[in-house]
Amino acid sequence: MRIWTVMIALSLVLGAAAACGLAVRPQSAQPPVPAAARVWPPPPAPARIRFIQAVARPTDLGIKPSFWKRVVRAIRGEEPTYFIRPAGVTVHGETIYVADPGAQALWVLNPTAGRFKHIGEAGKQSLISPVAVAVGPQDRVYLADSYLAQIFVYNSDGKLHATLADAALQRPTGLAYDTTAGRFYVADSAAHRVWVFGDDGRSLGAIGGHGTARGQFNFPTHVAVDAEGMLYVTDALGFRIQMFARDGRFVQAFGHHGNGSGDFAAPKGVAVDSEGHIYVVDALFDTVQIFDRTGQYLLNFGERGVEAGQFWLPGGLFIDATDRVYVADAYNQRIQIFHYLRGHGGG
């Protein structure tokens, strides 16, 4: 029984929910609401979150492969033209980056330029389980491959720049970059730590260790940094979000296991909007919950299903400078985009 419990716990953290019988195709509980009308909370309350768009393939952004890209595909064999199981997402400028372990690739999509890339290699090494992505200095892209236990750094043109294969890394699952401090954080689920690296790849130490006390972790999976340098860590099997100052000092934690509003069942991606609200994806609740700075529950959006604004085992989360919220809706094979309506009342 103990072995089975551990296996279930690991599958929840590492994204193998299908193995636990959880990945049954969801059915919509109600008739679909027109996508343009999807807001949370529903009327007559003032809208705070609005559904914008679902992206399952480059063409959803108006991006079509060029003639030469079609020629190369014909010669090399067809590459996937749609997301398989997107796990991580980030946005930098006009470009959307998607870590897709199902496709074993990093997607780079720029709708303004009308271009996309499907990167399946890091030099001569094929990607196996790319699960998290972040953008660092000089527009370099950091990609965590949890199976290979390596962080690959790409130039803005998609060429491999460097590989971080630190011996301490065991199963990196989350990435976040602190622009002001010039450092990036790596959530390592198997090591129960968050590693800290300089933007030159130099190790700056670690936060945490295995346990349930403040500042300790039980399978951390995702990380985020806000504008003030506060670090947010999803302590997945601690069923809480822990917050740390830039110097690594524990600040506070909130959350516990349960099935009510504000509780956690399988917390995943975490992010913070421009007003300091904390967003947390829950893969088993198929929703995104929003909390204030103290961890007080405010609102959730999304529910289980396949329609616009519904989720099926979502994972990664990112909020850009304009408060657009990007959710990796893994088993619906798409990224969903929402907008936090700052002080807009009803819209």
Side-chain angles (χ1 to χ4, degrees):
M1 178 62 72
R2 184 172 181 178
I3 293 175
W4 178 243
T5 301
V6 171
M7 289 177 66
I8 292 176
L10 284 171
S11 69
L12 289 175
V13 173
L14 302 176
C20 298
L22 299 173
V24 178
R25 185 74 179 178
Q27 300 295 321
S28 297
Q30 321 173 13
V33 176
R38 298 239 49 186
V39 295
W40 295 264
R48 293 290 178 251
I49 299 292
R50 183 183 300 280
F51 172 81
I52 300 297
Q53 184 181 7
V55 179
R57 62 191 73 219
T59 53
D60 291 336
L61 294 171
I63 303 172
K64 297 181 180 180
S66 67
F67 170 78
W68 289 113
K69 186 177 287 289
R70 293 196 300 270
V71 170
V72 170
R73 281 183 181 165
I75 294 172
R76 294 183 178 178
E78 191 68 20
E79 293 177 341
T81 56
Y82 55 88
F83 304 147
I84 304 297
R85 185 166 49 88
V89 58
T90 195
V91 178
H92 183 68
E94 301 295 329
T95 305
I96 302 172
Y97 300 88
V98 179
D100 186 347
Q104 297 181 308
L106 169 67
W107 296 85
V108 183
L109 306 103
N110 189 319
T112 301
R115 296 194 301 266
F116 79 94
K117 293 178 182 177
H118 174 277
I119 302 172
E121 304 84 24
K124 296 181 179 180
Q125 169 70 62
S126 295
L127 299 175
I128 296 179
S129 184
V131 294
V133 60
V135 178
Q138 300 177 351
D139 295 340
R140 289 183 179 137
V141 181
Y142 294 73
L143 181 70
D145 191 302
S146 61
Y147 182 87
L148 296 173
Q150 296 181 44
I151 310 297
F152 299 111
V153 186
Y154 296 89
N155 290 326
S156 58
D157 61 0
K159 302 297 183 182
L160 184 67
H161 170 75
T163 299
L164 176 57
D166 193 289
L169 288 173
Q170 296 183 38
R171 196 170 185 94
T173 55
L175 288 174
Y177 183 69
D178 184 341
T179 303
T180 303
R183 64 177 62 169
F184 65 97
Y185 298 93
V186 181
D188 190 330
S189 294
H192 306 285
R193 285 177 169 82
V194 174
W195 304 105
V196 186
F197 295 92
D199 54 24
D200 58 358
R202 180 171 50 92
S203 176
L204 301 177
I207 299 171
H210 196 195
T212 58
R214 293 179 173 183
Q216 294 182 322
F217 302 116
N218 192 11
F219 293 98
T221 57
H222 295 75
V223 286
V225 178
D226 68 16
E228 283 73 45
M230 184 77 74
L231 172 67
Y232 300 78
V233 183
T234 301
D235 186 12
L237 290 186
F239 302 101
R240 60 184 176 176
I241 300 298
Q242 295 201 60
M243 300 161 60
F244 299 84
R246 188 170 276 150
D247 61 5
R249 174 177 46 87
F250 172 84
V251 176
Q252 71 174 49
F254 66 88
H256 61 269
H257 186 250
N259 59 8
S261 296
D263 297 338
F264 295 133
K268 295 284 189 178
V270 60
V272 183
D273 69 25
S274 65
E275 295 183 345
H277 304 118
I278 305 163
Y279 296 59
V280 184
V281 170
D282 197 293
L284 290 189
F285 290 156
D286 293 300
T287 195
V288 179
Q289 300 193 88
I290 307 175
F291 303 83
D292 68 14
R293 295 174 187 267
T294 69
Q296 181 69 36
Y297 169 79
L298 299 174
L299 173 70
N300 74 288
F301 63 94
E303 66 282 319
R304 196 172 199 217
V306 299
E307 304 298 336
Q310 297 180 329
F311 301 115
W312 187 17
L313 293 175
L317 176 69
F318 182 81
I319 301 177
D320 70 14
T322 66
D323 283 330
R324 290 212 168 193
V325 183
Y326 299 77
V327 182
D329 188 9
Y331 280 79
N332 277 327
Q333 300 180 287
R334 61 188 178 183
I335 301 297
Q336 294 204 66
I337 307 172
F338 304 82
H339 193 201
Y340 168 58
L341 306 174
R342 287 177 292 185
H344 287 188

